[in-house]
Amino acid sequence: MIPKTELHLHLEGAAPPAFIRGLASEQGTRLDALFDERGDYRFEDFRQFLRTYEGATSVLRGPEEFARLTRAVLEESASHGVIYTEAFLSPDFCGGRDRGAWAEYLAAIEEAAAAVPEIEMRGIVTCIRHFGPDAARETARCAAETAGRFVTGWGMGGDEGMGKAADFAWAFDCAREAGLGITVHAGEFGGPESVRDALALRPSRLGHGVRSIEDLALVDRLAEDGVVLEVCPLSNVRLGLYEDVRRHPIERLRDRGVKVTVSTDDPPFFGTTMTREYDALAEAFGWTEDDFRALNRISAEAAFCDDATRAKLLETFP
Ligand code: HPA
Ligand code: ZN
């Protein structure tokens, strides 16, 4: 099995439906509207996806639930050969952005991660764009206060249609000053203009960013500046950006000089795993072990981790 690094994984979004249903039944509630007749998460488009996602988090009530989730997610990732993963963590769902509560959730997540030694984990604290700039500020304060060995990054997910990047500048500056690596979701539901807007926040990486392909001058700028794309091909296909992986722009972006990496985003929502992503790319583009090694070297170089961890990762991908 090829060893893998993953840079773009939402912790709550990695909760299998059965895990969420199990918690619901322990709590004496039902969340039937979130699931289809096969028991998979139900959504037709991006906004419904966000609603289902937020509905599922309602049973992730305390640090103990997040500890169980972390362990389950890391064990699943490790079974696909993932040796290093960065997970988006959301103070919004971990104590409602209260800094004291956040510290308790985070301690539980970090302790659970330490119990899965096959995989090295780091956290990217994430604000949710459609919750607005004031919530983002509070989230950034949570991030800044807990920045360190485990929390190494700052990001923003959610509805790209909400506001301008500049509205979130304070939160991004706060996180940057705390020493956190910066990534932003853009160019997924928004077009190239959303990527140009996001670049004002000076990220070293972009979540998705794939719709940059619609503006080749922008693609060249990403290549020149070395901005790394966290590409999640099967997420993009499931959410209807592209009909299939063969039509996905990842190879065109790569061949024009953009640094691309591969991740799963929210695997049970999109019916994916890291194995499926690699298999789909091998099938669509004929990518070989050499291609995947190069991809993983880019991930290791772009990872929000300390130099010793990076050096160890790079040794794995000679
Ligand atoms: N995009 C935006 N927000 C998200 C995503 C995504 O892919 N996954 C979870 N929150
Ligand atoms: Zn994402």
Side-chain angles (χ1 to χ4, degrees), residues 10 46 49-50 53 157-158 185 188 208 265-266:
H10 298 262
F46 184 63
F49 157 73
L50 291 174
Y53 185 107
H185 282 65
E188 179 191 23
H208 303 287
D265 211 6
D266 308 283

Side-chain angles (χ1 to χ4, degrees), residues 187 191-192 195 206 209-216 218-219 222 229 253:
V195 174
L206 290 170
V210 289
R211 289 193 56 197
S212 304
I213 198 69
E214 296 163 32
D215 175 349
L216 292 179
L218 175 61
V219 173
L222 295 177
L229 302 190
L253 289 161

Side-chain angles (χ1 to χ4, degrees), residues 142-259:
C142 290
E145 211 160 83
T146 51
R149 199 205 70 84
F150 185 71
V151 167
T152 55
W154 165 258
M156 177 160 71
D159 190 338
E160 286 172 28
M162 165 79 194
K164 288 262 163 240
D167 304 338
F168 299 92
W170 190 95
F172 277 75
D173 288 344
C174 172
R176 194 188 332 270
E177 279 166 27
L180 295 168
I182 306 290
T183 177
V184 195
H185 282 65
E188 179 191 23
F189 271 79
E193 71 291 345
S194 79
V195 174
R196 288 185 183 280
D197 186 52
L199 289 176
L201 296 167
R202 294 187 287 132
S204 63
R205 306 186 338 211
L206 290 170
H208 303 287
V210 289
R211 289 193 56 197
S212 304
I213 198 69
E214 296 163 32
D215 175 349
L216 292 179
L218 175 61
V219 173
D220 291 343
R221 177 173 164 198
L222 295 177
E224 238 161 71
D225 294 349
V227 176
V228 173
L229 302 190
E230 303 153 6
V231 182
C232 308
L234 291 170
S235 162
N236 296 157
V237 170
R238 175 66 178 84
L239 284 172
L241 273 68
Y242 308 105
E243 209 167 296
D244 55 33
V245 176
R246 268 186 307 142
R247 272 168 258 224
H248 192 284
I250 184 169
E251 186 170 72
R252 281 174 283 146
L253 289 161
R254 183 193 72 167
D255 291 350
R256 213 175 158 98
V258 177
K259 291 182 175 174

